[in-house]
Amino acid sequence: MARYEDVFENNRKWVERNIDRDPEFFSRLATHQDPDLLFIGCADSRVPPNEIMGLYPGDVFVHRNIANLVVSTDINAQSVIEYAVGQLDVKHIIVCGHYGCGGVAAAMQPADLGLLNGWLREIRDVYRLYQEELDAIEDTDARYRRLVELNIQEQCVNVIKTAVVQKTYVRTGHPTVHGWVYDVSNGLLRDLEIPFGEILGNIQEIYRLEET
Ligand code: CO
């Protein structure tokens, strides 16, 4: 476990390594950012976005919260999407959940979790949407893993529901929305290959926000 006292020493070594690799690295980043990716992930300490993707500062715009939720009334997540798509013009939006997610596990328990109840209800809503499929899975761990995946899929749908994503996609052909799952037990990322175009077509019957 990292000690608080080690952090600044680690930081200085990290700066040196980056300058050795690329002397202009920090001076180039000082003036602007131009990331191609928006990563929406869980706040879990075991899922550090840049590290698991092997990316450097400047490569990815990041938003994290408990259980990687995209809620329409959450001004934080909505502002991140608005800025990343509208201003930074990201080409890909990734919703990345993970097996072993404490938020998803908590939502499967019948317990009063205080302030977290409202947040985790979003995951319970996903369960209700897929209750038949999930209840049919007898193994508790398999059911939990499937809910992690379905939650990722539904949060992708929530990203696609936003006006800025719909409008920008129609105008430019991007961003594309992807659902990934990370396995904390082996470090591997997997693309759930959520059919973006199909979902966009289906939800536009109800959620269409741009004029044709
Ligand atoms: Co989590």
Side-chain angles (χ1 to χ4, degrees):
M1 215 55 72
R3 291 192 327 136
Y4 179 84
E5 289 76 13
D6 295 336
V7 167
F8 287 93
E9 181 56 27
N10 291 346
N11 171 253
R12 278 187 290 273
K13 289 177 184 160
W14 175 79
V15 169
E16 281 169 23
R17 280 199 305 278
N18 276 294
I19 291 174
D20 284 347
R21 183 177 57 82
D22 177 359
E24 310 298 320
F25 185 63
F26 291 106
S27 54
R28 212 176 37 247
L29 286 174
T31 53
H32 75 291
Q33 61 169 333
D34 185 23
D36 273 346
L37 309 177
L38 165 60
F39 180 100
I40 300 170
C42 183
D44 193 302
S45 65
R46 298 165 296 177
V47 195
N50 284 64
E51 254 180 277
I52 64 176
M53 294 186 286
L55 297 179
Y56 289 105
D59 289 338
V60 56
F61 204 66
V62 173
H63 177 75
R64 295 170 78 181
N65 60 40
I66 292 174
N68 42 274
L69 299 180
V70 179
V71 180
S72 67
T73 53
D74 174 9
I75 197 161
N76 187 348
Q78 296 297 324
S79 300
V80 166
I81 294 170
E82 184 75 29
Y83 184 71
V85 177
Q87 302 296 318
L88 297 175
D89 197 33
V90 295
K91 305 300 183 285
H92 302 272
I93 301 177
I94 297 138
V95 176
C96 182
H98 66 104
Y99 297 125
C101 185
V104 175
M108 289 177 77
Q109 306 298 323
D112 178 0
L113 296 161
L115 184 67
L116 273 170
N117 288 339
W119 190 251
L120 297 179
R121 206 189 73 183
E122 300 291 329
I123 307 169
R124 296 184 204 269
D125 288 345
V126 173
Y127 198 108
R128 187 164 59 87
L129 209 53
Y130 295 94
Q131 186 166 9
E132 208 173 321
E133 175 185 343
L134 287 163
D135 283 352
I137 303 171
E138 278 183 32
D139 180 68
T140 314
D141 191 51
R143 195 186 319 133
Y144 169 40
R145 289 169 70 89
R146 184 63 185 142
L147 181 56
V148 165
E149 295 168 2
L150 291 169
N151 181 51
I152 294 164
Q153 180 173 319
E154 284 309 302
Q155 303 318 314
C156 286
V157 171
N158 288 341
V159 172
I160 297 169
K161 283 175 188 169
T162 61
V164 70
V165 169
Q166 289 187 27
K167 283 179 172 172
T168 309
Y169 186 77
V170 166
R171 203 178 68 244
T172 67
H174 64 260
T176 312
V177 180
H178 312 268
W180 294 357
V181 66
Y182 177 76
D183 194 332
V184 292
S185 71
N186 61 20
L188 291 172
L189 277 172
R190 183 163 62 89
D191 189 342
L192 294 174
E193 292 177 11
I194 289 162
F196 173 75
E198 195 180 308
I199 291 176
L200 183 66
N202 288 341
I203 72 162
Q204 279 195 332
E205 288 176 21
I206 298 168
Y207 297 98
R208 182 187 293 276
L209 295 176
E210 32 77 43
E211 293 171 36
T212 48

